[in-house]
Amino acid sequence: RIPLTIKGTASFPKDSVPALDLEGFTADIASVPVHLDAQIRRIDGRNRIEGTFGIEGCRMEDVIREFVQNIIPEAGKLRTDAILSMQGSCSGFVGNGSIPSLSINLDIPESHLSHKDVARDLNIKLSASASTDASGKTGLRINDLKASTEGLDFSIKGGSEDILAEDPLLDIDGRLSAHIGQLAALMPGREDLKAEGSISAELDGSIRLSQMSIYNFAQADLNGFILC
């Protein structure tokens, strides 16, 4: 069972075509606060929609407690102060093979994530966006993804202008630095494990989905290094 509350105003304004306006619609779906405003017009047998939607101040720990852990019990061991926000808009015709253009931006400011069985917290940050257009292209981009804990720093940016293409081209810009000894101490039940050394790595360039195999990887336009 998913808890749900919803409220808002629907009206049928006078127009030259059949019209429906949705104003101030808000919903709470399993502790995810959603808002929506839209104008829908029936034009030449098709529905045209102009709208905005989003999620503001969604506490991810509340979502885990009230919904996710009921499906994945292990998630109940997680603790986080992460707050998710998402803003989106849509514009265009719906139906008869048409889909509206969509634009979505998602953001999780720098936050802490911990697990009951892991000694140290993880710091995370995410900024991402997605879009579609009338031609059917779907773009997906990670503007900034960072994760760090004592002994580890990781960051990546990248995406694709047409992620659903038959063989999408992905651009990547990633950085990694790690201290092996500090990471070994994070492993549950391995507190007595001793290790030394460090790793630094960088990777940037582009690669197609078909090139992500041992046979085609050399065809990718990637540059990077690993230092141990």
Side-chain angles (χ1 to χ4, degrees), residues 4-212:
L4 168 66
T5 59
I6 186 170
K7 63 181 180 179
T9 301
S11 61
F12 300 90
K14 185 177 180 180
D15 204 327
S16 59
V17 295
L20 170 63
D21 286 353
L22 305 176
E23 298 179 323
F25 263 74
T26 61
D28 192 296
I29 308 170
S31 294
V32 179
V34 180
H35 63 81
L36 166 69
D37 290 279
Q39 296 80 46
I40 303 171
R41 301 294 183 266
R42 184 73 173 174
I43 303 173
D44 296 330
R46 294 190 298 170
N47 296 317
R48 181 175 180 84
I49 183 170
E50 302 284 341
T52 60
F53 54 91
I55 298 170
E56 286 294 342
C58 176
R59 292 174 50 85
M60 297 308 297
E61 185 162 305
D62 291 344
V63 177
I64 293 170
R65 295 288 166 272
E66 297 189 23
F67 180 64
V68 178
Q69 71 174 4
N70 296 326
I71 301 173
I72 308 173
E74 184 70 16
K77 296 181 179 181
L78 294 173
R79 295 290 182 271
T80 182
D81 61 357
I83 296 178
L84 179 147
S85 296
M86 184 269 287
Q87 299 294 333
S89 63
C90 60
S91 176
F93 287 97
V94 182
N96 298 328
S98 298
I99 59 173
S101 298
L102 295 172
S103 177
I104 298 173
N105 293 288
L106 182 147
D107 183 63
I108 300 177
E110 187 166 340
S111 311
H112 302 288
L113 177 67
S114 64
H115 188 282
K116 182 179 178 181
D117 297 333
V118 179
R120 297 170 186 162
D121 291 357
L122 181 69
N123 299 314
I124 57 172
K125 179 182 180 182
L126 172 64
S127 174
S129 59
S131 63
T132 66
D133 60 27
S135 69
K137 286 186 177 181
T138 299
L140 178 64
R141 183 151 301 278
I142 298 174
N143 303 311
D144 190 15
L145 171 60
K146 294 181 179 178
S148 64
T149 188
E150 188 173 350
L152 173 68
D153 283 287
F154 169 79
S155 66
I156 190 169
K157 301 177 182 178
S160 174
E161 299 302 315
D162 191 9
I163 194 68
L164 298 182
E166 183 176 346
D167 192 16
L169 180 66
L170 310 172
D171 61 89
I172 302 170
D173 181 0
R175 304 286 185 271
L176 171 71
S177 63
H179 188 283
I180 297 174
Q182 291 175 319
L183 290 179
L186 296 177
M187 300 174 63
R190 297 295 183 91
E191 292 79 5
D192 58 342
L193 181 63
K194 302 298 181 183
E196 292 295 335
S198 61
I199 298 175
S200 295
E202 294 187 7
L203 179 67
D204 66 81
S206 60
I207 184 171
R208 291 194 177 275
L209 186 63
S210 62
Q211 295 168 341
M212 293 184 181

